[in-house]
Amino acid sequence: MADQAEHLRALFHQHRISGAPRKRGLSRIIVVASGKGGVGKSNIVVNLAIVFGQLGRKIIILDTDVGMANVDVLLNLKPGYTLVDVIKGKKELSEVILRGPYNVEIVPGGSGFSEMVNLDNHQREQLISRLSYLEEKGDILLIDCAAGLSRDILSFIAAADELVVVTTPEPTALTDVYSIIKIVNNCGLKSRVNLVVNMAHGMKEAENVYGRLENVCRNYLDINLYFLGAIEYDLVVRKAVLDCSPYVLKYPNSRVSQCTRDIAQRLLAGGGGYSPAPKKEEGFLKRLIRMWR
């Protein structure tokens, strides 16, 4: 992990210093991660994507969670193929993409990204060309990462524009999400991390969670922690999941839906620290794959 972190740190700073502005039209890349499973990360990704879509943005979700991929389940979609089929040349990307509601498209990754490590340079270039749709056609690319940390997740974080971490008020979730923030800080991958507190019993509890984490980050780390907002505990979330329907569609007037819309608006307004410039000329996928060499 230490060698990998050093490699990612070097690549990230190289691009940050020498990268030219990214071409107009390429996606804003947001990685959503969590320290542990069960905090509702994928559900938040799906519902945020739909809110973005309702606001007129074209959204692509890249589901990179190999073992627990469930973005398609939450949208009641049944993928016939995954990114692996594109890598092996069996399918075109258009045959893999799932169409969801409100301009939302989903790419089921499966074990696709781990397969990329074994490609030679020519194969990688071909794959990047085929996947260019992800960056050129969508306004926002949301990457739903597996819980925890791995080489792949660190690479996603390093290559993306923004990092959003999701936690709940539970002590174990807080400990695990702090571990992610600490490693991101120590590797120099991001100077800012955006926090969403899920399943909070009121805004006061969520603000207390943020305050505790922000205090530790301020005292022990060199990283800014921004509070994107809270999604309050609501029984309609479970009902929506059981019905395989996003809660912002099934229960649009619920408190949890309003919380999600507030977070989406904050991100779109630049509250997460996003700035359209400077950008990198080199595409996200190219940066990502080069980190895996």
Side-chain angles (χ1 to χ4, degrees), residues 257-277:
S257 293
Q258 184 57 53
C259 290
T260 305
R261 287 192 290 267
D262 290 344
I263 291 171
Q265 291 279 12
R266 209 162 286 130
L267 276 169
L268 290 178
Y274 173 78
S275 174

Side-chain angles (χ1 to χ4, degrees), residues 10-20 188-191 278 280:
L11 282 170
F12 176 75
H13 285 292
Q14 173 189 336
H15 287 296
R16 187 169 66 177
I17 293 170
S18 63
L189 303 183
K190 288 284 178 287
S191 61
K280 307 174 187 71

Side-chain angles (χ1 to χ4, degrees), residues 81-96 112 115-116 119 123-124 126-128 130-131:
Y81 308 99
T82 70
L83 191 58
V84 176
D85 297 290
V86 179
I87 292 172
K88 292 181 177 179
K90 296 180 178 180
K91 295 293 176 182
E92 293 297 327
L93 187 62
S94 59
E95 298 176 277
V96 170
E115 298 260 351
M116 288 185 191
L119 301 179
Q123 290 172 320
R124 284 193 181 106
Q126 282 190 322
L127 181 61
I128 290 169
R130 298 171 81 177
L131 294 179

Side-chain angles (χ1 to χ4, degrees), residues 150-205:
S150 66
R151 174 192 181 190
D152 294 354
I153 294 173
L154 287 174
S155 299
F156 286 129
I157 292 171
D161 297 313
E162 298 160 89
L163 169 62
V164 175
V165 293
V166 178
T167 187
T168 66
E170 294 179 4
T172 53
L174 293 178
T175 300
D176 290 340
V177 81
Y178 176 70
S179 296
I180 287 184
I181 298 170
K182 182 177 179 180
I183 292 174
V184 168
N185 173 82
N186 292 345
C187 293
L189 303 183
K190 288 284 178 287
S191 61
R192 184 183 180 108
V193 175
N194 306 304
L195 177 72
V196 171
V197 179
N198 194 23
M199 305 182 203
H201 291 279
M203 189 57 67
K204 184 176 181 180
E205 181 181 52

